[in-house]
């Protein structure tokens, strides 16, 4: 007969952290959320670390190049979705890597023979007041001039005025040559009282802008995650079907770390994919694998050579794998068992393999619980889908702003590659839904708020780092009654629509 687990399959909602002794040093500003991403030997330093323990899910509605840059600025990693052509995914990775911190590619460009009307329309569309004038109207064209809001006044100029008549021509521009450092570029802006400095290559083509406002933004992002060349760190999802064609292109584009995107990772397909990486790149290319929910699955992927292991089946808000197939496990139970397996593996081999908790996060405090239970970092889909930077559409539904959010197993995504069991190249049935999530604003504001809660909770537990939380944290199982007690109860909540009688 089948093997039975003695314990019920539990979720994060069934646990609470118990406070520990807090010294005067236990303040949020003293907490480090630095965490390893890839495996390393005892006594060594991991080749890739993050400054915050958050990565974005490998999903069409979550992880594109725009979100990747925003998350890297905060210290995390986005895994660009793989359910697209190899060319478009590699291009997204390339755009992230070419987006040097502080250097911005121009997305507002016109030709000299266009008109003020075109400039105004472009500004309304992009929201940017600095427009590059190039010979072909693209960011790669030869620079002919620059337009800023100081170059024209709508109330005093005809809308059909040619750009060439009011732009600042190239010969009058103050610019820097390609290769200048960000520090040198900022010094030039201050010396010449500029708001924007164009960066020009030897062929007089515009490569980037440096903006004064981004200098302040750069200083506001002390956790930004950069590689040795000062480019943002980015990940990419791969599948177990076309990996031999996809992985070389992603590596060429500059992806820092890969992750196999699969609904269930305890399979020979994953070992084949990892073997391809090791045979062709050795340990130079980093690749995570998963998802698994128990010891056996972890040990299999660890022995196969995975650089990190992802945990979770059926816990995502748009995932219906458990409903459709009856497989999976409560996320808390899965993380606890795999974390113990990781500890046993480390003691046996001296190799530490980070684990990533994927799914099951409903409230911010669940992040802290996942970390305390042993996760090194957390993969989030719904959480990031709500933000301005996610690639999905923002809609107004019945007076409320929402963003579209769909699963990779939905008919909309049609990502049959992540359900690899051989056979036909098609999606047999859905394992994800198409939905909306409440719009939440900018990534930076929300991530800052969530991680402030994590840091505050860690201080309540008397710890200042994730490893310390995992070593000293105390966790209690809670009853259904205590869950009710934990919220507002036995009071009448104020309703904003109720008039106060004075």
């Amino acid at each position: 007969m089948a093997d039975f687990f003695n314990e019920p399959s539990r979720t994060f909602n069934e646990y609470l952290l118990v406070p520990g002794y807090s010294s005067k040093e236990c303040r949020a500003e003293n907490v480090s959320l630095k965490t390893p991403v890839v495996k390393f030997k005892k006594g060594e330093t991991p080749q890739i670390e993050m400054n915050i323990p958050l990565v974005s899910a490998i999903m069409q509605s979550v992880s594109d190049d725009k979100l990747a840059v925003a998350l890297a600025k905060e210290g995390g990693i986005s895994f660009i979705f793989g359910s697209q052509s190899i060319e478009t995914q590699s291009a997204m990775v390339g755009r992230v890597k070419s987006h040097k911190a502080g250097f911005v590619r121009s997305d507002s460009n016109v030709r000299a023979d266009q008109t003020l009307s075109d400039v105004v329309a472009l500004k309304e569309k992009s929201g940017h007041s600095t427009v590059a004038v190039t010979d072909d109207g693209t960011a790669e064209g030869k620079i002919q001039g620059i337009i800023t809001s100081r170059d024209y006044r709508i109330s005093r100029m005809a809308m059909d005025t040619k750009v060439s008549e009011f732009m600042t021509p190239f010969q009058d521009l103050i610019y820097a040559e390609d290769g200048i450092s960000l520090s040198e570029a900022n010094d030039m802006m201050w010396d010449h009282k500029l708001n924007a400095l164009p960066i020009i290559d030897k062929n007089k083509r515009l490569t980037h802008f440096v903006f004064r406002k981004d200098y302040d933004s750069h200083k506001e992002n002390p956790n930004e995650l950069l590689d040795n060349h000062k480019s943002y760190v980015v990940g990419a999802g791969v599948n177990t079907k076309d990996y031999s064609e996809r992985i070389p292109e992603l590596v060429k584009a500059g992806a820092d770390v890969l992750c196999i995107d699969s609904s269930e990772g305890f399979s020979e397909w994953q070992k084949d994919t990892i073997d391809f990486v090791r045979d062709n790149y050795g340990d130079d290319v980093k690749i995570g694998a998963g998802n698994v929910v128990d010891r056996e699955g972890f040990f299999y992927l660890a022995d196969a050579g995975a650089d990190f292991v992802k945990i979770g089946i059926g816990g995502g808000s748009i995932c219906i794998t458990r409903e459709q197939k009856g497989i999976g496990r409560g996320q808390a139970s899965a993380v606890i068992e795999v974390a113990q397996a990781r500890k046993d593996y480390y003691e046996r081999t001296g190799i530490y393999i980070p684990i990533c908790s994927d799914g099951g996060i409903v409230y911010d405090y669940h992040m802290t619980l996942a970390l305390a239970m042993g996760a090194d970092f957390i993969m989030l889909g719904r959480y990031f889908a709500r933000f301005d930077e996610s690639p999905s559409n923002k809609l107004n539904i019945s007076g409320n702003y929402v963003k579209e959010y769909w699963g990779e197993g939905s008919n909309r995504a049609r990502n049959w590659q992540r359900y690899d069991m051989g056979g036909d190249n098609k999606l047999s049935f859905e394992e994800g839904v198409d939905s909306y999530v409440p719009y939440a604003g900018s990534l930076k504001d929300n991530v800052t708020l969530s991680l402030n809660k994590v840091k505050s909770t860690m201080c309540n537990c008397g710890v200042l780092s994730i490893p310390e939380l995992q070593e000293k944290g105390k966790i209690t199982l809670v009853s259904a009654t205590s869950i009710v007690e934990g919220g507002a109860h036995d009071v009448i909540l104020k309703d904003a629509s109720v008039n106060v009688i004075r």
Side-chain angles (χ1 to χ4, degrees):
M1 62 183 293
D3 287 334
F4 286 84
F5 286 80
N6 292 324
E7 283 293 316
S9 183
R10 299 194 182 277
T11 68
F12 294 131
N13 220 40
E14 297 176 77
Y15 292 91
L16 288 174
L17 284 155
V18 176
Y21 168 72
S22 300
S23 70
K24 292 180 180 179
E25 291 298 307
C26 289
R27 301 192 305 273
E29 61 266 28
N30 292 335
V31 173
S32 168
L33 294 179
K34 201 174 187 69
T35 193
V37 178
V38 297
K39 66 184 178 183
F40 59 96
K41 293 180 180 178
K42 187 176 183 179
E44 296 182 353
T45 301
Q47 291 186 27
I48 303 177
E49 294 179 292
M50 289 188 295
N51 295 323
I52 63 172
L54 304 182
V55 299
S56 68
I58 309 168
M59 301 175 69
Q60 294 175 8
S61 55
V62 178
S63 298
D64 67 351
D65 48 311
K66 183 178 179 183
L67 189 126
V69 169
L71 184 52
K73 285 182 178 179
E74 300 307 311
I77 296 176
S78 184
F79 284 86
I80 304 292
F81 70 94
S83 52
Q84 59 178 317
S85 72
I86 295 172
E87 293 74 22
T88 56
Q89 187 188 22
S90 299
M92 283 188 181
V93 170
R95 286 196 292 271
V96 177
K97 299 308 293 184
S98 64
H99 191 124
K100 294 186 291 183
F103 292 83
V104 180
R105 286 180 60 82
S106 176
D107 63 356
S108 299
N109 311 282
V110 294
R111 300 185 311 276
D113 62 349
Q114 290 183 260
T115 65
L116 176 59
S117 177
D118 296 318
V119 173
V120 172
L122 187 59
K123 181 180 178 182
E124 289 178 355
K125 180 181 178 181
S126 68
H128 299 152
S129 58
T130 300
V131 177
V133 184
T134 61
D135 61 348
D136 60 2
T138 70
E140 292 76 29
K142 286 190 176 182
I143 190 76
Q144 294 183 331
I146 296 291
I147 303 169
T148 71
S149 56
R150 293 178 297 181
D151 291 317
Y152 62 89
R153 185 169 297 182
I154 297 175
S155 61
R156 296 188 179 184
M157 293 171 59
M159 295 302 287
D160 61 355
T161 305
K162 296 291 186 184
V163 165
S164 58
E165 295 180 31
F166 61 90
M167 70 180 187
T168 300
F170 178 76
Q171 60 267 26
D172 294 337
L173 287 179
I174 296 173
Y175 62 90
E177 294 182 356
D178 196 25
I180 190 173
S181 70
L182 181 60
S183 177
E184 292 169 334
N186 284 316
D187 287 342
M188 281 189 68
M189 284 195 295
W190 284 105
D191 291 343
H192 296 281
K193 299 180 180 179
L194 302 174
N195 289 322
L197 179 69
I199 310 299
I200 312 297
D201 69 13
K202 60 183 179 181
N203 296 316
K204 291 188 177 180
R205 295 186 184 276
L206 178 68
T207 64
H208 297 91
F209 275 112
V210 176
F211 294 99
R212 180 177 290 197
K213 63 179 179 62
D214 287 339
Y215 174 76
D216 295 330
S217 174
H218 180 63
K219 297 194 73 172
E220 289 173 4
N221 296 310
N223 286 327
E224 63 184 357
L225 195 60
L226 306 174
D227 63 18
N228 294 330
H229 302 289
K230 303 300 181 184
S231 295
Y232 290 120
V233 173
V234 63
V238 299
N239 62 67
T240 57
K241 282 283 189 182
D242 64 7
Y243 58 85
S244 60
E245 294 83 32
R246 188 174 295 269
I247 289 175
E249 293 304 312
L250 293 172
V251 170
K252 191 184 303 181
D256 296 280
V257 57
L258 307 175
C259 183
I260 302 173
D261 178 29
S262 174
S263 65
E264 200 279 300
F266 192 178
S267 77
E268 189 175 2
W269 305 104
Q270 298 235 339
K271 184 178 185 303
D272 288 346
T273 307
I274 298 170
D275 286 345
F276 172 83
V277 170
R278 298 295 172 244
D279 291 344
N280 288 276
Y281 302 100
D283 290 327
D284 292 338
V285 170
K286 306 302 180 183
I287 184 167
N291 288 14
V292 298
V293 293
D294 64 2
R295 293 174 61 86
E296 290 180 89
F298 171 82
F299 287 139
Y300 178 80
L301 294 178
D303 290 337
D307 285 294
F308 66 85
V309 173
K310 199 146 64 75
I311 307 163
I313 295 176
S317 61
I318 42 70
C319 184
I320 54 173
T321 295
R322 298 178 193 175
E323 178 183 315
Q324 292 281 58
K325 296 167 70 173
I327 66 167
R329 195 177 190 187
Q331 190 67 6
S333 295
V335 171
I336 291 168
E337 179 169 326
V338 173
Q340 182 60 52
R342 188 265 311 282
K343 180 180 179 182
D344 296 343
Y345 188 87
Y346 179 62
E347 291 175 349
R348 174 163 55 89
T349 66
I351 298 173
Y352 186 93
I353 300 180
I355 55 177
C356 168
S357 176
D358 177 17
I361 301 295
V362 180
Y363 305 108
D364 286 345
Y365 81 88
H366 290 170
M367 297 181 188
T368 322
L369 276 169
L371 296 172
M373 290 174 178
D376 295 279
F377 53 99
I378 302 157
M379 179 170 278
L380 300 162
R382 178 194 60 84
Y383 179 85
F384 287 115
R386 304 171 302 146
F387 303 151
D388 289 318
E389 294 84 357
S390 75
S392 65
N393 294 319
K394 177 183 172 183
L395 306 172
N396 190 313
I397 306 292
S398 301
N400 297 309
Y401 283 106
V402 297
K403 294 206 73 174
E404 294 178 302
Y405 180 48
W406 60 94
E408 288 297 294
S410 67
N411 276 326
R412 180 170 182 175
R414 303 208 62 79
N415 186 4
W416 55 267
Q417 293 97 330
R418 74 189 308 269
Y419 303 95
D420 199 343
M421 294 183 183
D424 296 336
N425 295 343
K426 65 180 182 179
L427 192 68
S428 300
F429 54 87
E430 287 188 288
E431 292 189 42
V433 299
D434 197 345
S435 63
Y436 302 115
V437 288
Y439 168 68
S442 76
L443 180 147
K444 181 178 181 62
D445 291 344
N446 283 277
V447 166
T448 299
L449 176 61
S450 296
L451 294 184
N452 279 343
K453 293 179 186 178
V454 172
K455 290 180 180 181
S456 179
T457 304
M458 289 171 65
C459 288
N460 292 143
C461 295
V463 302
L464 295 174
S465 69
I466 293 172
E468 197 178 5
L469 174 66
Q470 294 168 349
E471 179 185 351
K472 298 180 180 178
K474 296 181 290 183
I475 301 173
T476 181
L477 194 62
V478 296
S479 68
T481 305
S482 62
I483 291 174
V484 174
E485 180 186 66
H489 61 91
D490 301 319
V491 295
I492 301 173
L493 295 177
K494 289 184 177 180
D495 188 335
S497 64
V498 176
N499 292 321
V500 177
I501 300 175
R502 297 187 184 278

